[in-house]
Amino acid sequence: MGSLTSLLSIARQALANSQTAIDATGTNISNQHTVGYTRKTAVFAESDTVDVGGSLLGSGATVTIVSQRDRILEQRMQQQTQADGQTSARLTALQSVDSIFQTTTSSADASGIGSSLDAFFNSFSALEANPTDGATRQAVLTSAQTFATAIQAASSQLTSQATDLGQQVSGSVAQVNQLTSQIAALNGKISSTSPDADAGDLEDQRQELITQLSGLVGLSQSSTANNGIALTTTNGTPLVGGNISYNLTAQNVGGSVHVFGQQNGVSTDITSALSGGSIAGDIQARDVDIASAQTSLDTLAFDVATAVNTQNSAGKDENGAVGGNIFGVPSSASGAAASLTVSLTDPAGIAAASGTDGAGGSTNATALAALGSGKIVGGETPASFFGSFLTQLGTTISGATTDETVTAAELTQATAQRNALSGVSLDEEASNLTEYQRSYQAAAKVFSIVDEMFASAINLGVESAVS
C-alpha cells in the first residue's frame, strides 16, 4: 500500500508539473507581441530519492519556470540602441540644417545666399559701366540688402534650430529621470521578492525600461547584490544604484542648455562627456555641426562686409567725399551673420570713383567688383568659400547618413539575436504544448491505474463489491 501511495504522489506531482508547463506555454503564446517580454521555459529536474529499508525510491520531479534571458545579448542590444539613438538624432538635426540652404527661386531668404552674393558683386560691375546712374547705384544697395537679409535669415534659423535642440535635450532629461526612478523602484521589488532567482515579469519590465533609457542616454550597466542593477552614464555619472535613482538636470548656461549630474555629491556639467543616445546626438548636432555652420556664416558675412567697407572707404562718393561703410558689421566675426546690416542709405555714398578720378569716375567701382573674384574670405573667393561650406555640409550629412545606416543595421542584428533566444516562436510553443499535454495525459493515466489498484486492494480483489 505504501508503494501505491508513493506512486500516487508521484502521479499527482507529475500532473501539477505538466499543468505548470502548459500554463507557461500559454503565457508565452499570449505575449508573443508584448514588447520586452522574455520567453519562459519549463525546466524539469529529478527530485531527491528516498532511502526505504535500504532501497532508493524516487519521489518524482520538480519543474522550474525560467526566463530565457542572456545578459550579454541584452547589453549588446542596449549598446546598439544607444549608438543608433545618437546617430539618428544627429542625422535628423543635420537634415534640418541642410533644408536651410536648399536652393529655391527666392534669393531673399537663407537659401539665396549664393545667388544674392553673386548679384551683389555683379551690381558693382554694372556700376562700373554707368557710375553716375541713380538707378544703378540704388541697385547696389538693394542687392547689398538682399545679401544681408539672406545671411541673417540663415543665421536666425540655425539659432532657432540650436534652441529647439536644447529644448529637446531638456525634455529628454526629464524622460531619463522618469525612467531611472521606475528602474530603481523595480530594483527594490526584485530584491525583496526574488533576490537569488529569476524575477520573471519584473525583470522583463526592468529590462524594457533600460532599453528605453538607452535610446536617450549612453549607459554602463553592472549587476549588484540581490539581483539588482546599477546604471551610470558612459562617463560614470550615477543614474541608478539599488532602489535609489539620481536625477540629471538641464540648466541654461550662456544661453545654451547643458546637462548636469551628481558626481561625488557635486553637481557637475557632463554635457561634453555624454555619448550614446538621442541626448548626445542632439548635443553633437547643436554644439559641433550647427556651431560650425554658424561660424562659417559669420566668417563669410564679416570678411565680405569688411572688404567692401575698406574698399569703399578708399574711393570718392558721388559728392566727391571719401566713401564710408556700406555695411554695419561688428568688430569681430563672432555674431556677424546675425547682425549684418546695410548702414548706407544714400546711393550717392557709394564710392565708384578713385581719389585720382574726375567726376563720374569708376576706378573704385572696378575694384569693388573685383572683390567678388578676390580671395577675401578665409583665403578663398566669396563664392568658393560658400561653395566649400555647402560641400562640407553635404559631406557631413552623407557621413551621418552612413553612420545611422550602420548603427540601425547593427541594432537590427542585435535585436534578432536577442529575440532568437528570448522571443516567442509559435511553432516551438505548439510543439511544447503538445508534449506537455501528452505528459499530463500520461500522468492522469497513472493516477487512474493507481486508483483502480487501490479499489481492488480495498475490495480484496472483488472488483464489483466496491467501485
Side-chain angles (χ1 to χ4, degrees), residues 118-362:
D118 290 340
F120 175 55
F121 286 111
N122 288 338
S123 70
F124 284 123
S125 296
L127 182 65
E128 177 186 3
N130 199 359
T132 60
D133 181 63
T136 303
R137 286 177 168 271
Q138 181 60 52
V140 172
L141 294 187
T142 300
S143 61
Q145 184 60 59
T146 299
F147 169 64
T149 299
I151 207 163
Q152 281 180 5
S155 178
S156 175
Q157 290 180 57
L158 287 176
T159 299
S160 178
Q161 287 188 5
T163 300
D164 290 344
L165 289 173
Q167 292 174 347
Q168 287 179 204
V169 169
S170 295
S172 296
V173 165
Q175 293 180 53
V176 166
N177 293 337
Q178 183 180 27
L179 290 169
T180 54
S181 176
Q182 293 173 331
I183 292 168
L186 283 170
N187 262 347
K189 291 180 181 179
I190 290 170
S191 296
S192 62
T193 59
S194 188
D196 303 312
D198 177 31
D201 290 344
L202 289 178
E203 287 198 48
D204 288 349
Q205 294 173 32
R206 182 176 65 182
Q207 199 60 50
E208 175 58 22
L209 292 175
I210 293 174
T211 299
Q212 293 179 33
L213 186 62
S214 298
L216 296 170
V217 64
L219 301 174
S220 292
Q221 175 180 323
S222 59
S223 299
T224 62
N226 299 321
N227 205 10
I229 283 180
L231 299 174
T232 68
T233 63
T234 49
N235 75 311
T237 301
L239 295 173
V240 175
N243 61 353
I244 299 174
S245 62
Y246 303 89
N247 284 349
L248 300 179
T249 58
Q251 302 177 29
N252 193 300
V253 178
S256 181
V257 174
H258 284 221
V259 180
F260 286 75
Q262 294 293 321
Q263 291 186 338
N264 299 318
V266 178
S267 182
T268 305
D269 190 336
I270 61 173
T271 306
S272 60
L274 292 174
S275 64
S278 62
I279 292 178
D282 288 338
I283 290 173
Q284 182 182 10
R286 182 192 67 184
D287 295 350
V288 177
D289 301 317
I290 291 180
S292 176
Q294 193 72 268
T295 298
S296 294
L297 289 183
D298 285 343
T299 299
L300 179 63
F302 181 79
D303 287 0
V304 167
T306 300
V308 168
N309 286 346
T310 300
Q311 189 62 53
N312 200 61
S313 299
K316 293 188 302 184
D317 64 16
E318 197 171 28
N319 300 315
V322 174
N325 289 341
I326 292 179
F327 290 107
V329 67
S331 58
S332 66
S334 179
S339 59
L340 184 65
T341 59
V342 177
S343 57
L344 183 63
T345 58
D346 185 358
I350 300 173
S354 68
T356 59
D357 285 345
S362 62

Side-chain angles (χ1 to χ4, degrees), residues 103-113 115:
T103 301
T104 67
T105 56
S106 171
S107 61
D109 58 20
S111 64
I113 292 176
S115 58

Side-chain angles (χ1 to χ4, degrees), residues 299-466:
T299 299
L300 179 63
F302 181 79
D303 287 0
V304 167
T306 300
V308 168
N309 286 346
T310 300
Q311 189 62 53
N312 200 61
S313 299
K316 293 188 302 184
D317 64 16
E318 197 171 28
N319 300 315
V322 174
N325 289 341
I326 292 179
F327 290 107
V329 67
S331 58
S332 66
S334 179
S339 59
L340 184 65
T341 59
V342 177
S343 57
L344 183 63
T345 58
D346 185 358
I350 300 173
S354 68
T356 59
D357 285 345
S362 62
T363 303
N364 203 51
T366 301
L368 285 166
L371 292 176
S373 57
K375 296 181 178 181
I376 62 172
V377 184
E380 298 183 69
T381 67
S384 176
F385 180 87
F386 186 64
S388 296
F389 160 71
L390 293 180
T391 298
Q392 181 58 51
L393 177 61
T395 300
T396 300
I397 293 173
S398 178
T401 301
T402 299
D403 290 343
E404 200 282 329
T405 300
V406 170
T407 57
E410 291 176 342
L411 175 58
T412 299
Q413 182 182 43
T415 302
Q417 290 177 335
R418 184 264 181 195
N419 289 343
L421 173 68
S422 303
V424 176
S425 166
L426 290 183
D427 290 341
E428 183 177 356
E429 298 306 323
S431 175
N432 289 339
L433 186 61
T434 300
E435 177 184 346
Y436 300 144
Q437 286 174 337
R438 292 302 184 190
S439 176
Y440 186 93
Q441 292 170 353
K445 186 66 175 178
V446 171
F447 196 94
S448 176
I449 292 172
V450 173
D451 181 57
E452 292 178 2
M453 294 175 69
F454 264 118
S456 179
I458 292 172
N459 296 326
L460 300 178
V462 181
E463 296 183 6
S464 62
V466 177

